[in-house]
Amino acid sequence: NKISSKNLIFNLKIDTNKIEYFLELKNANNKNNFIWDGDWDNKKINISEYRNYSDSYNSIYQIYKENKDFTECNEYKAKAKLILKEGKSGRGESLSELNDYFKSLDKLKTSLNQYGYKSQLELENDNKKNDEIGVVIGSNFEIIKLQDKFGGTHRFALCKLLEIKQIIVSVKAIHKSLLEKNDLKKIITTNDKNYIISLLKNRIEIIK
């Protein structure tokens, strides 16, 4: 059953240490589908390995733990190459935009240190309300960070580094086995988004 994730993505406040695994992008299902079937969650990797798989996650440790200049971190070098080759990088279209982005991480770190993790709604970024730390939920109710491209990797790394106790995650998809047949039927036949989201939240309440 293909059920669009467009209207079903929802946010949860969780303990940061609840995220014990991540999933490589190559093992993620269709990001437009909210219900993921199959054994993708068996391919999860312990979060302690994440630095070896994600330049974005690793860059925070390189800058703030190893005290490297941001221009020396792997992510910056890779993005700078992209800009010189293609004129864009996902973090800016010029080296000066890329530099500004990396400099802005200092502000983010200071804010997290002072105020803890603030949701996009708390920051009044209403049009980005689902731009939190992107996760999926596996068949054993495990919360699995998505490698990259699903949001919040720098924020997540900073929260880990600063030992921030609670974060907001954006649930992008859940394993099909967490839902009963009746649930699936209701999700397919009803247009009441709030009802569907409360049903999904109730199903995964066990993880909080």
Side-chain angles (χ1 to χ4, degrees):
N1 299 39
K2 288 208 169 176
I3 296 167
S4 171
S5 61
K6 195 174 163 189
N7 294 321
L8 294 184
I9 291 171
F10 61 92
N11 300 331
L12 284 177
K13 182 179 264 194
I14 62 162
D15 290 345
T16 309
N17 62 13
K18 288 273 189 191
I19 299 181
E20 295 177 14
Y21 305 99
F22 74 95
L23 188 71
E24 289 178 272
L25 280 181
K26 68 180 184 184
N27 294 321
N29 282 12
N30 183 347
K31 69 184 286 187
N32 296 318
N33 193 13
F34 189 76
I35 311 288
W36 288 6
D37 205 357
D39 67 350
W40 53 269
D41 54 333
N42 291 338
K43 295 164 187 160
K44 63 187 183 288
I45 301 171
N46 194 284
I47 203 74
S48 61
E49 298 288 314
Y50 197 17
R51 281 187 71 178
N52 302 322
Y53 290 81
S54 167
D55 279 347
S56 300
Y57 191 76
N58 190 34
S59 66
I60 296 297
Y61 283 82
Q62 288 181 309
I63 296 165
Y64 297 111
K65 196 169 185 187
E66 295 161 13
N67 296 315
K68 287 189 177 183
D69 188 272
F70 68 74
T71 58
E72 290 301 304
C73 75
N74 297 3
E75 184 187 17
Y76 182 90
K77 289 177 182 173
K79 298 280 196 283
K81 260 188 199 170
L82 269 177
I83 285 169
L84 296 173
K85 193 177 166 188
E86 298 172 17
K88 58 181 180 181
S89 73
R91 298 288 183 203
E93 295 177 5
S94 67
L95 289 178
S96 79
E97 283 183 12
L98 185 63
N99 290 346
D100 287 346
Y101 176 77
F102 273 88
K103 286 172 190 165
S104 77
L105 291 174
D106 284 346
K107 282 184 192 164
L108 176 60
K109 180 174 176 273
T110 303
S111 168
L112 285 165
N113 224 349
Q114 274 187 307
Y115 308 111
Y117 190 102
K118 296 278 181 195
S119 72
Q120 296 293 345
L121 287 178
E122 286 174 300
L123 295 169
E124 297 184 351
N125 295 331
D126 293 16
N127 58 334
K128 287 181 165 185
K129 66 175 182 177
N130 289 322
D131 180 23
E132 305 295 355
I133 294 164
V135 300
V136 287
I137 296 177
S139 56
N140 293 311
F141 293 98
E142 61 272 51
I143 304 175
I144 303 169
K145 169 83 178 70
L146 285 154
Q147 185 180 355
D148 277 325
K149 313 275 190 218
F150 283 82
T153 301
H154 285 148
R155 278 170 280 168
F156 179 56
L158 281 167
C159 288
K160 292 288 280 183
L161 205 56
L162 298 169
E163 297 183 356
I164 285 164
K165 298 281 187 284
Q166 288 197 309
I167 53 175
I168 312 279
V169 295
S170 185
V171 179
K172 308 291 186 184
I174 64 173
H175 197 282
K176 187 180 179 183
S177 65
L178 302 185
L179 295 168
E180 294 168 4
K181 274 186 181 171
N182 276 348
D183 297 338
L184 285 168
K185 204 180 281 182
K186 283 172 187 167
I187 289 170
I188 292 163
T189 56
T190 183
N191 289 319
D192 185 342
K193 181 185 167 185
N194 291 333
Y195 166 78
I196 293 168
I197 288 174
S198 71
L199 181 148
L200 294 170
K201 279 188 177 178
N202 287 339
R203 278 279 173 268
I204 62 172
E205 196 65 30
I206 186 172
I207 66 178
K208 290 181 73 181

